[in-house]
Amino acid sequence: MPFDFSERLKALPPYLFKELDRIRDEVRGRGVDVIDLGVGDPDRPTPPYIIEALTRAAADPANHKYPVYSGMNSFREVVAEWYSRRHGVSLIGDTEVCSLIGSKEGIAQFPLAFVNPGDIVICPEPAYPVYASGASFAGGVPFFAPLLEKNGFLPDLKAIPKDILPRAKIIWVNYPNNPTGAQASLDFYRELLEFAARHDLIVASDAAYSEVTALPKPHPSVLELPGAKERVIEFHSLSKTFNMTGWRLGWAVGDATLIKGMGLVKSNVDSGVFQAVQFAGMAALRGTLEPIESMGRLYAERRKVIAEGLDKAGISYLHTDYTFYVWVKTPRGLSSAAFCSKLLNEAGIVATPGNGFGPSGEGYARFALVQEADRLREASQRLASLRF
Ligand SMILES: *Cc1c(COP(=O)(O)O)cnc(C)c1O
């Protein structure tokens, strides 16, 4: 039937990873042994004690009903305990925590609660595409703040034009950053909070990678700063921390009004997270930190392996303690597309072209360290033999 997609839908760029999958499959179809470092989906399985908690809870008929929209009280309490244990931040589970069906749903839908048509949402770029698409779906207008190497891939707040600020409602930040791997300091967060207070902005922080590190401590949360809670909502997820991308469990924490708005949107469009999945999440958050530590070590080791190949090929990249990404600068000023197609065609390596995350990603590519070390060693050797 000749139905037209809505203007809203037509205005979106194609979702990056669907296109990548298509090209990878095409090359694989030609019989190439492809090493896929494209999509940021952890390759290792979910730890067994989390799966056991799910299985137990799934067998209990008490969990076969609709859950509470904003999450079981016990789940929200466990998230509050987690923030206290990991960040020294105290939160009230009842009003300052909301469960999410993965943080993506929260990030996509949060603007519906606070953005009116024509309001501006300040989004970083290059970035996870959902900040901008969520803003657009709510009738908002994304304003893109470039993340540049010379600024450590932090937004230059002073460079945001003064005339857009009266109409701006939300500023998104994402540290540790996808795609660059950049980290933020509490000093940056202090500057961000002052900026947001001056211009009456909501700070929306996506902390999906705060636990993906070999360091003994998570990446700092903006909520660690005094007074932050009044204007901050922070999104988190079990996906990357505990290898649970398919399970769909995350949360939002922060100011009670922001959390209430998020919950009101959710109660109109979804019916919450399967309680058995929430029980599994509680087992994860209450359990030992061993899975976090061992995944951190694993990614650090993989980073070393790929770094050897990059160094030999004379390709530079951002050094970071967080995420499982390597943000690579294309050699000899190649475009992202030219570099990635050379990698795929001459080395059978899938990387994500940096410009797919936004125009300032042009001249870069992202490697996701989601293959075992022996495959990365192979990738590393293939990289080292390339001539640019
Ligand atoms: C993976 C990812 C998320 C979303 O994770 P969920 O599985 O939806 O919880 C959010 N933000 C960034 C930057 C990500 O890379």
Side-chain angles (χ1 to χ4, degrees):
M1 293 288 269
F3 293 119
D4 253 3
F5 290 142
S6 67
E7 297 307 320
R8 189 175 280 132
L9 200 54
K10 283 193 283 192
L12 295 183
Y15 198 70
L16 182 61
F17 299 112
K18 263 180 79 173
E19 181 60 12
L20 269 179
D21 286 351
R22 197 187 58 74
I23 301 170
R24 178 202 55 204
D25 293 344
E26 190 188 292
V27 172
R28 226 174 233 158
R30 284 191 251 135
V32 176
D33 169 29
V34 169
I35 303 176
D36 189 354
L37 309 179
V39 182
D41 193 351
D43 55 305
R44 285 286 179 102
T46 307
Y49 64 92
I50 301 174
I51 300 171
E52 281 153 25
L54 173 84
T55 314
R56 266 196 312 278
D60 181 352
N63 295 326
H64 296 173
K65 54 193 174 59
Y66 283 121
V68 181
Y69 290 119
S70 50
M72 296 163 68
N73 287 335
S74 49
F75 175 77
R76 289 183 291 151
E77 278 311 319
V78 168
V79 170
E81 280 164 30
W82 174 261
Y83 260 76
S84 151
R85 175 175 166 206
R86 302 300 281 159
H87 296 286
V89 170
S90 69
L91 293 166
I92 303 165
D94 197 29
T95 53
E96 295 174 339
V97 182
C98 172
S99 71
L100 295 170
I101 307 172
S103 59
K104 184 179 185 178
E105 79 131 341
I107 292 165
Q109 295 188 35
F110 175 67
L112 289 170
F114 293 95
V115 167
N116 288 311
D119 284 352
I120 285 174
V121 176
I122 302 170
C123 302
E125 69 82 16
Y128 188 59
V130 188
Y131 315 124
S133 53
S136 303
F137 276 162
V141 181
F143 172 85
F144 291 103
L147 306 183
L148 305 177
E149 192 168 345
K150 64 173 188 194
N151 301 322
F153 298 104
L154 297 167
D156 181 357
L157 301 175
K158 290 187 285 299
I160 297 173
K162 297 277 172 296
D163 60 325
I164 69 138
L165 288 165
R167 286 188 297 140
K169 211 56 189 279
I170 299 174
I171 181 165
W172 279 101
V173 287
N174 164 224
Y175 294 99
N177 184 255
N178 175 13
T180 66
Q183 358 191 137
S185 63
L186 279 176
D187 281 343
F188 167 74
Y189 281 147
R190 205 168 286 121
E191 187 197 341
L192 173 68
L193 275 183
E194 280 164 18
F195 176 81
R198 232 174 8 257
H199 302 290
D200 206 17
L201 300 171
I202 296 166
V203 173
S205 162
D206 174 1
Y209 295 91
S210 62
E211 299 284 350
V212 182
T213 182
L215 297 180
K217 270 178 31 176
H219 185 277
S221 159
V222 59
L223 289 167
E224 291 169 26
L225 292 173
K229 214 172 18 182
E230 290 162 28
R231 60 175 64 253
V232 169
I233 183 164
E234 185 157 85
F235 294 83
H236 208 294
S237 153
L238 282 91
S239 290
K240 316 288 164 54
T241 309
F242 294 101
N243 301 340
M244 292 174 73
T245 48
W247 294 56
R248 312 314 304 139
L249 181 60
W251 67 74
V253 297
D255 172 73
T257 308
L258 301 181
I259 295 298
K260 188 171 181 183
M262 182 77 246
L264 283 170
V265 172
K266 281 179 61 62
S267 64
N268 281 283
V269 297
D270 73 61
S271 298
V273 179
F274 181 28
Q275 288 195 8
V277 171
Q278 295 187 55
F279 275 108
M282 287 188 261
L285 297 176
R286 275 197 181 129
T288 110
L289 299 173
E290 201 282 324
I292 293 179
E293 290 159 2
S294 64
M295 286 311 295
R297 282 193 300 270
L298 186 80
Y299 291 131
E301 183 53 39
R302 291 176 177 184
R303 193 178 290 281
K304 226 189 267 166
V305 170
I306 206 78
E308 270 172 38
L310 290 167
D311 289 342
K312 277 192 193 138
I315 298 173
S316 65
Y317 51 91
L318 184 74
H319 295 258
T320 177
D321 298 315
Y322 293 91
T323 75
F324 43 68
Y325 299 118
V326 186
W327 188 240
V328 165
K329 194 159 188 166
T330 65
R332 296 181 165 278
L334 283 179
S335 70
S336 299
F339 178 67
C340 290
S341 90
K342 187 174 166 86
L343 284 184
L344 188 55
N345 290 312
E346 294 177 26
I349 296 170
V350 179
T352 309
N355 62 331
F357 298 98
S360 301
E362 180 54 81
Y364 297 88
R366 189 193 74 177
F367 289 11
L369 303 174
V370 292
Q371 301 286 340
E372 295 295 352
D374 60 334
R375 293 293 282 161
L376 290 171
R377 210 159 283 122
E378 168 70 25
S380 210
Q381 280 157 10
R382 293 186 196 173
L383 272 173
S385 67
L386 285 179
R387 287 291 160 264
F388 290 99

